[in-house]
Amino acid sequence: MNKEKALIAYVTRMGDNAIIMAQRLSEWVGHGPELEEEMAMGNFALDYVGQSRMYFSYAGELEGKGRSEDDICFLRDGWDYGNVLLLEQPNGDYGETIARLVLFETFYSLQLGALVTSPAKKLAEIAARAIKESTYHLRHAGHWLIRLGDGTDESHRRVQDAIDRLWTYTGELFEADQVDQIMQSDWEAPDLTDLRGHWHRQIDELLAKATLQKPDDGWMDSGGKNGHHSEHLGYILAEMQSLQRTYPGANW
Amino acid sequence: MYTQGLDQKQKKSVADPGDSPERLAAFQARIDADEKIEPKDWMPSAYRKTLIRQMSQHAHSEIVGMLPEGNWISRAPTLRRKAILLAKVQDEAGHGLYIYGGTETLGVSRDDLVADLLSGKAKYSSIFNYPTVTWADVGAIGWLVDGAAIMNQIPLCRCSYGPYSRAMIRVCKEESFHQRQGYEIMLELCRGTDEQKRMAQDALNRWWWPSLMMFGPSDKTSEHSAQSMAWKIKRFSNDELRQKYVDATVPQADYLGLRMPDEKLVFDEKTGHYEFGEIDWQEFFEVLKGNGKCNRERLEARNRAHDEGRWVREAARAYAEKQAAKDAA
Ligand SMILES: [Fe+2]
Ligand SMILES: [Fe+2]
Ligand SMILES: [Fe+2]
């Protein structure tokens, strides 16, 4: 794999992470525990839709085959989607959604922080924009994790369960494959081993504030980055892509 | 907006003992002089009650209105449309919050108002009890429902109650944006494939009459709300607003190349207005009573969100109390 191919794959994966997160977060619109929280989740979803558009357009440009952001988003099947498994998991209760946000945004803001100086100019620009949003999401979700962890017995139990359940999907975040290696050597993308250390320190700190226990690293599920997904992704795509699939070539 | 003339159901208001003739006259003089009434000002109890009902119904409608359109966020056909739709639904949540805030200035709490919505005691606009079954419904709602809402709300920008009038000025700007975006969806469909045109026509067929009902019962059959007019809470009658809406909307349908589902619709050269067919008021009152396609789903959705979110709100409260106790220590 050459460095151009690796960049396309990496940028597409980032777009996939963004759109799958957006699909999940937007499920809260109209159904949240509090109007203000519905709005927060909707705003985060909107940020992520915006980010996915930037990543997909950039990937299309790099690829040079005339594929638009929508072609990339709506006309690929699951095996070509490279989002991490963590993001396609169902929302669960509000605590689980918050726990997922914390686990992912902590990773994502570190990743973006490294990418802002990438020689891939456009990727660096997108990262500079996305990191502001990610930092804000993380602050919001972090506050909620603390509230829920240190709230009532029930909220503590629920959010601890959520962290325990999602933990198995956190290993994949730091698994470097060929794409990540080329990105690191040629495009100054973060060293995932390094990033893992930072991630653990930040998560430790947050879990402690939230009076939550950190689960042991047991078996870690993975495969999403390479298109090996759980059963959940198929439904997300079936729903999201339905109009494009039913009416091929139509303009909307 | 979304009050659909439900004020008719109100019982004759009993004069409050505090509402002396002198005070009422002074209040009316302020209204007549186009002064704005502010939360700290004295106001007749019936004025307060009317506003609380109208404003809370409006806020509830914004919130319940998120559901039919929210139904298409996950399936929006392009990323651009998804972003626009998400932003629109977010705006509606913002309107709801903002108008709840305005209602609270009248001495009621948002929690109590929401409880009335969830129990079914309070009403919201019946239009949101219709289903969104195709993507064109998202276009039709923006175009027709937001369009009708604007007709209703523009006069409310001059409403005598300051907080409501200011809320409406802010809300109207966003509603007209929604209306344009909805129309743009319809335009794209009407320029598209035969299937897309069919989708657009089908949505218009289903949404046109309910959008006319949004203005409430006809002036002929409804007790004219003279008091609301005198208080400058209402500025035009239901039929006047409905006519304005028809006159504005029919040419827009023509431009799209769509047919209004009304055989009797004709332009009257003499009056310069469109004449239109009889509204099926039976349907209106049925939906109002709860017998619409989505009445049950809508209320269940809000109740489920509320019930499933209880532990979250309790946790937030418990945490805040712990923090306050720590700060006090
Ligand atoms: Fe509205
Ligand atoms: Fe609105
Ligand atoms: Fe609107």
Side-chain angles (χ1 to χ4, degrees), chain A residues 19 23 29-30 33 36 38-39 42-43 46 70 144 146-147 150-151 154-155 158 239-240 244 251-252, chain B residues 66 74-75 77-83 89-90 97 110 188 196 302 305 309 311-313 315 319 322:
Chain A
I19 192 63
Q23 287 294 104
V29 174
E36 285 81 351
E38 258 176 46
M39 285 184 81
N43 282 329
L46 192 51
D70 290 327
W144 269 102
I146 295 168
R147 272 187 209 114
D150 194 16
E154 182 184 7
S155 70
R158 281 178 181 260
E239 192 172 331
M240 179 172 79
Q244 290 269 355
N251 290 318
W252 302 94
Chain B
M66 294 167 71
S74 67
R75 290 176 292 167
T78 67
L79 289 170
R80 177 172 166 265
R81 291 284 174 215
K82 191 190 290 289
V89 176
Q90 292 287 93
L97 275 183
R110 177 174 136 198
E188 196 68 51
Q196 286 176 301
R302 289 312 314 179
W311 70 273
V312 177
R313 297 189 300 276
Y319 179 77
K322 281 186 207 176

Side-chain angles (χ1 to χ4, degrees), chain B residues 1-2 62 92 146 175:
Chain B
M1 74 173 167
Y2 306 122
E62 301 283 355
E92 306 300 4
D146 286 84
E175 300 294 11

